[in-house]
Amino acid sequence: MFDPYRSEAEFALLAVRTAASLCRRIQEEMVSPAMEKSDRSPVTVADFVSQAIVARMLQEAFPDDPLVAEEDSKALRVPAQTQTLSAVTSYVSSLRSEANQGLVCDWIDHGSGEPDARFWVLDPIDGTKGFLRGDQYVVALALIEEGQVVLGAMGCPNLNMNLRSEVGGVGSVVIAVRGQGAWVTGMDGGRPIKIQVSGQPDPKQARLLRSFAAEHTNVSKIDQLIAALGSRHPPVLMDSAAKYAVLAVGDGDLLFRLISLQKPDYVEKIWDQAAGSIIVEEAGGRVSDLAGRNLDFSRGRQLTDNLGVLASNGWLHEVALEALRVVGADRRPEGS
Ligand code: AMP
Ligand code: MG
């Protein structure tokens, strides 16, 4: 299974499982007071623990492969964060007895690699706001070759094996390899089960997924899209790339990442979209930006040539693109 990416897939499954179960432990123990990064988004002990663990595992499994990951140790190396760094080190040591503060920072910074012909991309915790609220978050890892995502894996501690929300449940892992489908398995193991998007072609029945955080989307445009499609369902609000897993298993039909009015120049980061997009595509769905362009992962750390994201079950993609044009959500908001 997963040839010719069998060893990569085995590594990715183990890495996201290991990191996600540690994150779950941290979420349960509530040791994670948020601190502020320079961009003011919350970052927690768990983000750093997750990145240190996955980066170290990658260093051992594929020493020549660069890793492009969201965090770096700069914010941790300052005197004000001594306590955070000790908490991070103590969690990492529970799995890696050789860990100390210096090594943990080095492992985190293994994630400061540059995009190359082949590289891995990691969001150690996507949906930090969901994590802090005790809700959805994922550990997202992907492999990019020649600008194309070829493998994606997500550890989803608060989604069950049916990819339904179950906070505090056993959790699940979703994996996709290009040309080989998308699969779900338990966070603690088990035989992978193939997943598939919905076959819903009727826009009136379309179930929309959007960010929980209103400031990450455009709520009034979402409402206009629902009206334009004639959908009878209120949107489902969910943090993180867990939305892609829900779409991939057919529990939603459309996923919109619209441009927020607060940040009209926002550009999507590759670690937020790589794993989720291949999972939806391999489950039979379609992913593009809001203007219908393919996501271009060859542009560095950001999707600079794209605008937001539309992911769908495929059947509803064209009608959703048309709705985006009608409501004017296929371009940057005025004033940018
Ligand atoms: P979600 O949980 O769907 O809100 O997505 C979480 C991801 O959105 C995080 O990785 C954030 O870095 C990213 N993000 C931050 N600001 C914005 C924004 N203005 N628009 C879209 N996504 C954002
Ligand atoms: Mg993220």
Side-chain angles (χ1 to χ4, degrees), residues 123 126 211 213 215-216 239-240 243 257 260 263 266 272:
D123 195 341
D126 181 40
S211 297
E215 67 275 20
H216 289 175
D239 295 289
S240 85
K243 290 188 282 295
R257 291 191 68 81
S260 82
K263 280 202 190 165
Y266 186 79
D272 284 329

Side-chain angles (χ1 to χ4, degrees), residues 123 125-131 133 135-140 154-157 159 209-213 216 237-246 255 257 272-273:
D123 195 341
I125 288 194
D126 181 40
T128 311
K129 290 180 179 179
F131 177 83
R133 218 185 303 109
D135 206 339
Q136 292 303 327
Y137 67 95
V138 304
V139 176
M154 294 196 315
C156 313
L159 290 180
L209 294 152
R210 67 122 162 128
S211 297
F212 187 99
H216 289 175
L237 279 51
M238 190 178 279
D239 295 289
S240 85
K243 290 188 282 295
Y244 287 104
V246 172
L255 187 165
R257 291 191 68 81
D272 284 329
Q273 310 306 330

Side-chain angles (χ1 to χ4, degrees), residues 13 18 25 27 45 60 117 122 138 161 211 231 274 313 319 334:
L13 279 171
T18 309
R25 217 178 100 202
Q27 194 185 44
V45 171
E60 291 172 341
L122 170 72
V138 304
M161 277 286 286
S211 297
S231 163
N313 66 359
V319 76
E334 295 284 309

